[in-house]
Coordinates of all heavy atoms in Angstrom, one line a residue:
K75 N 0.8 -1.2 0.0 CA 0.0 0.0 0.0 C 0.9 1.2 0.0 O 2.1 1.2 0.4 CB -0.9 0.0 1.2 CG -1.9 -1.2 1.3 CD -2.7 -1.1 2.6 CE -3.7 -2.3 2.7 NZ -4.5 -2.2 3.9
P76 N 0.3 2.4 -0.4 CA 1.1 3.6 -0.4 C 1.6 3.9 1.1 O 0.9 3.7 2.0 CB 0.2 4.7 -0.9 CG -0.8 3.9 -1.7 CD -1.0 2.6 -1.1
V77 N 2.8 4.4 1.2 CA 3.4 4.8 2.4 C 3.2 6.3 2.7 O 3.4 7.1 1.8 CB 4.9 4.5 2.4 CG1 5.6 4.9 3.7 CG2 5.2 3.0 2.2
K78 N 2.7 6.6 3.9 CA 2.6 8.0 4.3 C 3.9 8.6 4.8 O 4.5 8.0 5.6 CB 1.5 8.1 5.4 CG 1.2 9.6 5.8 CD 0.0 9.7 6.6 CE 0.2 9.2 8.0 NZ -0.9 9.4 8.9
V79 N 4.3 9.7 4.2 CA 5.5 10.4 4.6 C 5.1 11.7 5.3 O 4.3 12.5 4.8 CB 6.4 10.7 3.3 CG1 7.6 11.4 3.8 CG2 6.7 9.5 2.6
Q80 N 5.6 11.8 6.5 CA 5.3 13.0 7.4 C 5.7 14.3 6.7 O 6.5 14.3 5.9 CB 5.9 12.8 8.7 CG 7.4 12.9 8.7 CD 8.1 12.3 9.9 OE1 7.7 11.2 10.4 NE2 9.1 13.0 10.5
A81 N 5.1 15.4 7.2 CA 5.3 16.7 6.6 C 6.7 17.3 6.9 O 7.2 18.0 6.1 CB 4.2 17.7 7.1
S82 N 7.2 17.0 8.1 CA 8.5 17.6 8.4 C 9.3 16.7 9.3 O 8.8 15.6 9.7 CB 8.3 19.0 9.2 OG 7.5 18.8 10.3
G83 N 10.5 17.1 9.7 CA 11.4 16.3 10.5 C 12.1 15.3 9.7 O 12.2 15.3 8.5
E84 N 12.8 14.4 10.3 CA 13.6 13.4 9.6 C 13.0 12.0 9.7 O 12.5 11.6 10.8 CB 15.0 13.3 10.3 CG 16.0 12.4 9.5 CD 17.5 12.7 9.8 OE1 17.7 13.4 10.8 OE2 18.3 12.3 9.0
V85 N 13.0 11.3 8.6 CA 12.4 10.0 8.6 C 13.5 8.9 8.6 O 14.4 9.0 7.7 CB 11.5 9.8 7.3 CG1 10.9 8.4 7.3 CG2 10.4 10.8 7.3
K86 N 13.5 8.0 9.5 CA 14.5 6.9 9.5 C 14.4 6.1 8.2 O 13.3 6.0 7.6 CB 14.3 6.0 10.7 CG 14.7 6.7 12.0 CD 14.5 5.7 13.1 CE 14.9 6.3 14.5 NZ 14.8 5.3 15.6
Y87 N 15.5 5.5 7.8 CA 15.5 4.6 6.6 C 14.4 3.6 6.8 O 14.3 3.0 7.9 CB 16.8 3.9 6.4 CG 17.9 4.8 5.9 CD1 17.8 6.1 5.7 CD2 19.1 4.2 5.5 CE1 18.8 6.9 5.1 CE2 20.2 4.9 5.0 CZ 20.0 6.3 4.8 OH 21.0 7.0 4.3
Q88 N 13.6 3.3 5.8 CA 12.6 2.3 5.8 C 13.1 1.1 5.1 O 13.7 1.2 4.0 CB 11.3 2.8 5.2 CG 10.8 4.1 5.9 CD 10.4 3.8 7.3 OE1 9.5 3.0 7.6 NE2 11.0 4.6 8.2
Y89 N 12.8 -0.1 5.6 CA 13.2 -1.4 5.0 C 12.0 -2.2 4.7 O 11.1 -2.4 5.5 CB 14.1 -2.2 5.9 CG 15.5 -1.6 6.0 CD1 15.8 -0.6 6.9 CD2 16.5 -1.9 5.1 CE1 17.1 -0.1 7.0 CE2 17.8 -1.4 5.1 CZ 18.1 -0.5 6.1 OH 19.3 0.1 6.2
Y90 N 11.8 -2.6 3.4 CA 10.7 -3.4 3.0 C 11.2 -4.7 2.4 O 12.2 -4.7 1.6 CB 9.8 -2.7 2.0 CG 9.4 -1.3 2.5 CD1 10.0 -0.1 2.1 CD2 8.4 -1.2 3.5 CE1 9.6 1.1 2.5 CE2 8.0 0.0 4.0 CZ 8.6 1.2 3.5 OH 8.2 2.4 4.0
I91 N 10.6 -5.8 2.7 CA 11.0 -7.2 2.2 C 9.9 -7.7 1.3 O 8.7 -7.6 1.6 CB 11.2 -8.1 3.4 CG1 12.3 -7.5 4.4 CG2 11.7 -9.5 2.9 CD1 12.3 -8.3 5.7
H92 N 10.4 -8.3 0.2 CA 9.5 -8.8 -0.8 C 10.0 -10.1 -1.3 O 11.2 -10.3 -1.6 CB 9.3 -7.8 -2.0 CG 8.4 -8.3 -3.1 ND1 7.0 -8.2 -3.0 CD2 8.7 -9.0 -4.2 CE1 6.5 -8.7 -4.1 NE2 7.5 -9.2 -4.9
D93 N 9.1 -11.1 -1.4 CA 9.4 -12.4 -2.0 C 8.9 -12.4 -3.4 O 7.7 -12.5 -3.6 CB 8.9 -13.5 -1.2 CG 9.3 -14.9 -1.7 OD1 9.9 -15.0 -2.8 OD2 8.9 -15.9 -1.0
P94 N 9.7 -12.3 -4.4 CA 9.2 -12.3 -5.8 C 8.8 -13.7 -6.3 O 8.2 -13.8 -7.4 CB 10.5 -11.8 -6.6 CG 11.6 -12.3 -5.8 CD 11.2 -12.2 -4.4
G95 N 9.0 -14.7 -5.5 CA 8.6 -16.1 -5.9 C 9.4 -16.7 -7.1 O 8.9 -17.5 -7.8
F96 N 10.7 -16.3 -7.1 CA 11.5 -16.9 -8.2 C 11.8 -18.4 -7.9 O 12.5 -18.7 -6.9 CB 12.8 -16.2 -8.3 CG 12.7 -14.7 -8.8 CD1 13.6 -13.8 -8.5 CD2 11.6 -14.4 -9.6 CE1 13.5 -12.5 -8.9 CE2 11.5 -13.1 -10.0 CZ 12.4 -12.1 -9.7
T97 N 11.3 -19.3 -8.7 CA 11.6 -20.7 -8.5 C 12.8 -21.2 -9.3 O 13.2 -22.4 -9.2 CB 10.3 -21.5 -8.9 OG1 10.0 -21.2 -10.3 CG2 9.2 -21.2 -8.0
E98 N 13.4 -20.3 -10.1 CA 14.6 -20.6 -10.9 C 15.4 -19.3 -10.9 O 15.0 -18.3 -10.6 CB 14.3 -21.1 -12.3 CG 13.5 -20.0 -13.1 CD 13.1 -20.5 -14.5 OE1 13.3 -21.7 -14.8 OE2 12.6 -19.7 -15.3
D99 N 16.7 -19.5 -11.2 CA 17.6 -18.4 -11.3 C 17.1 -17.4 -12.3 O 16.7 -17.8 -13.4 CB 19.0 -18.8 -11.6 CG 19.7 -19.6 -10.5 OD1 19.1 -19.7 -9.4 OD2 20.9 -20.0 -10.7
K100 N 17.2 -16.1 -12.0 CA 16.8 -15.1 -13.0 C 18.1 -14.3 -13.3 O 18.9 -13.9 -12.5 CB 15.8 -14.1 -12.4 CG 14.4 -14.8 -12.1 CD 13.7 -15.0 -13.5 CE 12.3 -15.5 -13.2 NZ 11.5 -15.7 -14.5
W101 N 18.2 -14.0 -14.6 CA 19.3 -13.2 -15.1 C 18.9 -11.8 -15.4 O 18.0 -11.6 -16.3 CB 20.0 -13.8 -16.3 CG 20.7 -15.1 -15.9 CD1 20.2 -16.4 -15.9 CD2 22.1 -15.1 -15.5 NE1 21.2 -17.2 -15.4 CE2 22.4 -16.5 -15.2 CE3 23.1 -14.2 -15.3 CZ2 23.6 -16.9 -14.7 CZ3 24.3 -14.6 -14.8 CH2 24.6 -15.9 -14.5

């Protein structure tokens, strides 16, 4: 879903994990 970014201040690095479902090596 879209991520809300606050109006001011500093935002810590965000980390997102995704499993693309690769069942074989991809080049």
Side-chain angles (χ1 to χ4, degrees):
K75 298 179 180 179
V77 176
K78 183 169 70 174
V79 182
Q80 64 199 45
S82 60
E84 186 161 18
V85 180
K86 292 183 178 181
Y87 283 9
Q88 302 296 299
Y89 288 88
Y90 305 104
I91 302 169
H92 179 84
D93 183 354
F96 294 154
T97 57
E98 59 183 8
D99 290 357
K100 291 287 188 179
W101 288 92

